[in-house]
Amino acid sequence: MKFFEPAERLKLIPPYLFKDIDDKKEQVRSSGVDIIDLGVGDPDLPTPPFIVERMKEAVADPRTHRYPLYSGLTLFREAVARWYKRRFEVELDPDTEVLTLIGCKEGLAHLPLAVNNWEDVNLVPTPAYPVYRMGTIFAGGNPYMVPLLKENGFFPNFREIPPIEARDAKLFFFNYPNNPTATVADLEFFQQMLDFCREYHITPVHDASYTELAFDGYRPPSFLQLPGAKDIGVEFHSLSKTYSMTGWRLGMAVGNREVLAALGKIKSNIDSGAFDAIQLAGIAALDSDQSCVAQYCRIYQERRDILVSGLKKQGYEVEPPQATFYVWLPVPQRFTSMQFTTHLLENAGIVTVPGVGFGEPGEGFVRLALTVPKERLEEALARLAKIG
Ligand SMILES: *Cc1c(COP(=O)(O)O)cnc(C)c1O
């Protein structure tokens, strides 16, 4: 018998999505190819300098060096409430309706531990950010996968969710603007989600990580804008994508106070909250005039236009995304998404993510991230044209 065996629950977790791609990427790179990486959704643009300056100041202050409050600095929670009011006209009580997170991934992954009993069902979209499903599995829950199909505009079809699953469900995860499909939702869809969750006594959990990265003047809504939404639901948000702060690890959960209290109880026993200095820098970001966000959106929008129009010229049927920094590209008929990813990597040195990696219904697409300078996108297009 082996001395060490990992827990059974780890065997339920599929291999890390990017592992295979990472390995192949290294192989191609070591053969001397200049790789263009459109794979990982991690901004190449730096954190705006005024946020970095605030961090430098805050980190030099010994008062930030002690254990933070697990629920987050009151000043940060107040800044979140101000930001929600300004941005969405949503009122939040900073003491009970805002919880600081060490990145929103942390909160999403821990939430099922606070909500699910053994074998409870959570409704989980697919394709999707993998954390909703993994968090459910770690908590001993049963993910019921709700497909987001092209023919439904990449929205869940509520009528196809079996009532027997819905009745057992505790959480319904959803994410708009969406990673990976870049789909945006209006309040009408959010209302359907709220109605469905009310009917079946489910907690709606909206991942709003991309509401600030939008184009052509479009402003994505918050789920909490709906009257009554926070009576049952929560929304997760993050400074990662909005302010190019992925490495800093700062996010927030807002909305229903009972759900947040339960999540806070888990967190108080697992982590000890986000570094105060990071939260102080986060306040500077949230309280700023948001011109840095507008500037970065213009950069992503220019990249989007270059990539999408270039792809269209080459015969790809692709729509310009209204938000997120992703392009969800249908793959040519003769390829699976995995084959197309390999084809692009081996023949053009371009890294993409196969749609199937986000879940079976993602087959037929690859995800491209607009996280490289426009010159690199032009180079990618030139290489694509060459391989035909
Ligand atoms: C990037 C991302 C997150 C994670 O954000 P962090 O705050 O960095 O943990 C959550 N959800 C989606 C859909 C994302 O793409």
Side-chain angles (χ1 to χ4, degrees):
M1 204 178 95
K2 279 209 297 191
F3 184 75
F4 175 76
E5 276 291 342
E8 289 298 321
R9 72 173 66 82
L10 290 189
K11 297 183 188 149
L12 302 171
I13 302 291
Y16 179 56
L17 167 61
F18 297 110
K19 174 81 173 71
D20 249 19
I21 304 162
D22 281 349
D23 291 350
K24 255 188 221 140
K25 184 166 85 180
E26 268 330 297
Q27 228 176 315
V28 174
R29 197 197 303 278
S30 63
S31 71
V33 175
D34 167 30
I35 298 267
I36 301 175
D37 194 342
L38 309 180
V40 190
D42 191 353
D44 60 316
L45 305 169
T47 306
F50 74 93
I51 303 172
V52 176
E53 285 310 313
R54 183 67 188 100
M55 176 70 181
K56 283 185 189 165
E57 207 182 296
V59 79
D61 181 345
R63 281 175 300 180
T64 66
H65 299 174
R66 310 189 67 185
Y67 280 120
L69 202 62
Y70 76 86
S71 58
L73 210 54
T74 305
L75 289 172
F76 179 74
R77 285 184 277 113
E78 287 169 352
V80 169
R82 276 197 297 280
W83 183 82
Y84 254 84
K85 172 79 183 142
R86 257 202 331 270
R87 171 67 176 87
F88 299 115
E89 280 287 320
V90 168
E91 303 274 356
L92 296 170
D93 172 4
D95 288 329
T96 57
E97 295 176 333
V98 181
L99 184 65
T100 303
L101 302 173
I102 309 171
C104 111
K105 181 181 193 176
E106 176 264 301
L108 288 164
H110 281 144
L111 182 65
L113 284 178
V115 178
N116 289 133
N117 292 313
W118 194 249
E119 302 218 317
D120 273 349
V121 170
N122 288 339
L123 302 178
V124 175
T126 176
Y129 187 61
V131 175
Y132 321 129
R133 176 155 175 260
M134 302 310 164
T136 300
I137 292 173
F138 281 150
N142 268 330
Y144 179 81
M145 304 310 285
V146 178
L148 306 180
L149 304 176
K150 183 162 194 267
E151 61 256 38
N152 298 324
F154 301 110
F155 290 103
N157 184 342
F158 294 105
R159 272 167 312 200
E160 281 183 5
I161 300 170
I164 191 167
E165 301 289 347
R167 275 195 291 268
D168 285 345
K170 288 286 176 68
L171 301 172
F172 197 154
F173 291 97
F174 56 112
N175 161 230
Y176 295 93
N178 184 264
N179 173 14
T181 67
T183 306
V184 299
D186 55 17
L187 286 173
E188 201 176 314
F189 165 72
F190 284 165
Q191 186 66 55
Q192 287 173 25
M193 178 60 87
L194 184 60
D195 294 344
F196 182 86
C197 288
R198 270 215 191 97
E199 180 180 348
Y200 288 103
H201 290 258
I202 300 169
T203 299
V205 182
H206 184 224
D207 178 348
S209 293
Y210 291 95
T211 59
E212 303 318 289
L213 299 188
F215 313 123
D216 312 316
Y218 171 65
R219 301 288 271 162
S222 158
F223 178 65
L224 297 188
Q225 276 170 249
L226 291 180
K230 75 178 176 187
D231 295 346
I232 63 168
V234 285
E235 184 159 86
F236 284 72
H237 227 299
S238 168
L239 280 69
S240 286
K241 314 290 163 53
T242 308
Y243 303 105
S244 283
M245 291 174 71
T246 47
W248 298 54
R249 316 308 305 131
L250 187 59
M252 59 275 202
V254 300
N256 183 272
R257 62 187 66 198
E258 289 162 274
V259 178
L260 295 190
L263 176 57
K265 194 163 178 181
I266 295 292
K267 283 177 57 59
S268 70
N269 284 285
I270 289 185
D271 59 63
S272 296
F275 184 18
D276 280 348
I278 292 178
Q279 294 184 74
L280 289 168
I283 296 171
L286 292 171
D287 278 344
S288 74
D289 64 9
Q290 310 302 304
S291 56
C292 61
V293 184
Q295 185 198 341
Y296 282 7
C297 284
R298 281 195 295 274
I299 295 172
Y300 291 128
Q301 184 174 324
E302 188 187 13
R303 292 174 179 177
R304 174 201 70 169
D305 292 343
I306 288 167
L307 184 62
V308 170
S309 67
L311 287 169
K312 276 190 166 161
K313 263 183 222 145
Q314 296 188 30
Y316 290 93
E317 279 174 44
V318 57
E319 288 309 310
Q322 276 183 279
T324 76
F325 43 50
Y326 303 114
V327 171
W328 188 238
L329 180 71
V331 305
Q333 287 287 326
R334 62 186 189 280
F335 294 105
T336 66
S337 63
M338 199 64 207
Q339 286 166 343
F340 192 57
T341 299
T342 306
H343 173 68
L344 292 182
L345 181 57
E346 288 177 349
N347 299 306
I350 299 169
V351 177
T352 58
V353 185
V356 72
F358 297 98
E360 201 56 51
E363 185 52 83
F365 295 85
V366 293
R367 192 192 72 178
L368 316 182
L370 301 168
T371 48
V372 299
K374 62 180 179 186
E375 294 74 22
R376 298 294 280 166
L377 292 175
E378 281 157 354
E379 167 70 18
L381 286 165
R383 290 187 196 175
L384 268 180
K386 219 191 266 164
I387 64 169

